[in-house]
Amino acid sequence: MTWYSAADTPELADFGPVTGLGVTGRGAPGGAAHIAAITALYAVAGPLTGLAGGLPMPVLEGRWWVEDTTRHPLDVPRDEWHWHLFLRLPDDLDPALADQAREAARPAPGIDAVQLVTFTDGRCVQMTHHGSFAEEPKSLALMDEFMSAHGLVPAGLHHEIYLSGLQETDPTALRTILRQPVRAAQG
């Protein structure tokens, strides 16, 4: 199983640690803070692709959460959502290149918030969602059913990998890997 592939129906997968450029923030997807963070990430990634000898531009990813525990996450207003945006880098990339790329991106706004980060999803339920972001709750419901049927509960941040890119305007062409870290439910 590779990082950038998932079946069209829920499946179990395991992923070890990954490293890349990351930035953390709060706000609605597509809102000012979100767009500024994406812009800062790519401002650093641009020079990094050259410094790393032709590294292809990484795919944008987002890990999402809410801090309101009284409501279902999708019922929380989008401007209250928190996120870690991420561009995965090769595992063997020299970390010093990320610092060099950040310096090369100056004076782009927000680049000091872009850091080299590592995280692990571990055991996950995942699937590829086809269609608009507004339709994701249908795929998330399928993933919830799969988790219930297999005695699993969420154990980490909801993770999305934007395979088609956020600039895609045809909703039928959008493909997003939805990934949810899980653990066994307690008795």
Side-chain angles (χ1 to χ4, degrees):
M1 184 148 313
T2 67
W3 187 258
Y4 297 110
S5 69
D8 291 341
T9 57
E11 64 181 348
L12 282 173
D14 286 286
F15 295 101
V18 293
T19 299
L21 298 175
V23 63
T24 300
R26 177 182 170 181
H34 189 246
I35 296 300
I38 292 170
T39 301
L41 270 177
Y42 280 109
V44 175
L48 183 60
T49 61
L51 290 168
L55 174 72
M57 188 58 72
V59 173
L60 182 65
E61 304 181 32
R63 295 170 46 222
W64 298 86
W65 76 98
V66 298
E67 293 183 352
D68 182 338
T69 58
T70 63
R71 296 182 275 182
H72 186 277
L74 294 176
D75 293 332
V76 174
R78 294 163 52 100
D79 63 342
E80 295 178 27
W81 291 6
H82 296 262
W83 33 263
H84 296 300
L85 299 177
F86 183 75
L87 297 174
R88 184 175 180 195
L89 299 174
D91 296 333
D92 61 351
L93 185 80
D94 178 356
L97 292 178
D99 291 331
Q100 291 174 24
R102 191 174 3 326
E103 289 308 312
R106 291 199 187 285
I111 62 168
D112 288 325
V114 177
Q115 301 297 315
L116 192 63
V117 298
T118 300
F119 72 89
T120 302
D121 275 337
R123 188 175 191 204
C124 302
V125 171
Q126 68 171 9
M127 69 178 286
T128 299
H129 170 75
H130 297 266
S132 73
F133 300 123
E135 296 295 316
E136 282 183 11
K138 292 178 185 176
S139 294
L140 294 171
L142 292 173
M143 292 171 65
D144 285 344
E145 289 172 17
F146 182 91
M147 286 186 276
S148 271
H150 290 85
L152 301 168
V153 294
L157 301 181
H158 170 74
H159 184 171
E160 298 185 352
I161 302 173
Y162 308 105
L163 298 176
S164 15
L166 298 178
Q167 72 283 358
E168 178 61 58
T169 57
D170 177 3
T172 63
L174 288 171
R175 291 181 313 120
T176 306
I177 294 176
L178 305 177
R179 189 172 287 160
Q180 178 60 58
V182 294
R183 64 171 173 74
Q186 300 300 324

